[in-house]
Amino acid sequence: MKTKVVIIGAGMVGASIAFHLTRLGEKDVFILEKSYVSSGSTGRCAGGIRQQWSTRNNVRLAMRSVEWFKRMKEDTGMDVEYKQGGYLILSFDEEEAEEFAENVKMQKEEGLEVEVLTPKQVKRRFPYVNVEGVKLATFCPTDGHANPHLANFAYIRRSVENGARLFTKTEVKEIDVSNGTVKGVWTNAGYIECEVVINAAGPWSKDIGEMVGIDLPTESYRHQILVTEPLENMMDPMIISFSGNFYIRQTRHGSFLMGQGDKDERPGINRKVTAKFLLEMVNKMSRRFPFLRNLRVIRQWSGEYNMSPDAQPIVGLSENVLGYFYAVGFSGHGFMVAPAVGEAIAEWIVFGKPKSVDVSQLSLERFKGKEFLKERSVV
Ligand code: FAD
């Protein structure tokens, strides 16, 4: 078989790249997925879409992505449960609260609508939050959330309708490079000749890097999440805290999704869930959101954050292997920036360079010996 572009991975990032490529008229696209659509991190994520970041890169990528989320229904014909209910970020730490003031200044310079709230203002606007210990909060009304499965399927479906071909249960085993140029890929179903290969393999990004001799500085870490039985809709924003280490949102059908980070996790793919997570979450969240006390947890699962050294995505075209792109290391926020990253990569392939959003600072080269700016706003 033969195609121009092979995308490895049918998660939100691969789906977005395929959507934008086919939208721009490049239909010679194969999406190769070793499992099924949304089986990776995307189908396990919380679906939060936030533009409040500490680095300009992430603010810009997220703001551009919001433009695409707003028109996703129109673009794909699917309702992906996108809701701009805002994001409320709570700080429990004086030093962090000072950083928030700096972040808000930069975010406003980027044109983002965002405000600083006192604990009293938080209580008045969001009475179901226990504000004990809160030093300060920020709120952006155009942040929000969507159903990650639906968004992933929406982009895949529209790509296929536009001419791309999706191959599930098709695992890329090796990449054929000769004279420093991509020639094709070997899969469990045979050889596919191609000119361009894109590593959109999420938690497995490092393995795909190794196939062309590129050592990607990415590592995957387990993150767990739980979901409660539903209540009537009452919580519009997604509410998170870096110093408090939690996030929570209410889905359209009423369930609450919530999670936290665990600094004791070791790198690797580990899909087991733990009682420790369950107990910590239940105790912490029922103190912060007292109405949760009478709700039952119905399910718990785990997925991966594919982390980069500075918690910012690694996006670019290889300097050493012609035709090899990477869009990896999304560090827990790949769902929300996927629309803009996909757009940038598709423009790169079709026009020779990204036009709508500048991703030059996200290349792998930034890690070569220089100091790099770490994104701090990560749970
Ligand atoms: P994936 O969705 O993992 O897709 C990669 C695909 O590549 C997989 O389907 C895999 O099977 C396939 N693949 C791998 N190797 C091969 C191979 N050799 N051949 C063929 N196919 C292959 N992000 C947000 O923006 N907002 C959130 O609120 C949020 N919450 C999160 C909560 C949790 C608990 C977790 C775990 C993550 C969260 N994230 C969130 C992060 C988000 O899930 C990821 O950044 C995003 O889904 C990455 O998308 P992806 O397409 O790169 O990876």
Side-chain angles (χ1 to χ4, degrees), residues 226-229 278 282 295-300:
L226 65 81
V227 62
T228 69
E229 61 186 336
L278 189 63
V282 165
L295 275 188
R296 281 169 292 199
V297 172
I298 55 169
R299 216 151 54 86
Q300 179 184 358

Side-chain angles (χ1 to χ4, degrees), residues 9 11-13 33-34 41-42 45-46 48 172 203 304 332-336:
M12 188 61 180
V13 172
E33 168 52 56
K34 69 175 174 175
S41 303
T42 304
C45 90
V172 173
E304 301 80 27
H333 48 280
F335 174 68
M336 65 183 89

Side-chain angles (χ1 to χ4, degrees), residues 343-364:
E343 182 183 24
I345 295 219
E347 288 174 346
W348 209 327
I349 292 167
V350 175
F351 305 122
K353 62 172 188 207
K355 286 178 155 186
S356 312
V357 59
D358 178 15
V359 290
S360 56
Q361 291 175 50
L362 298 177
S363 88
L364 188 55

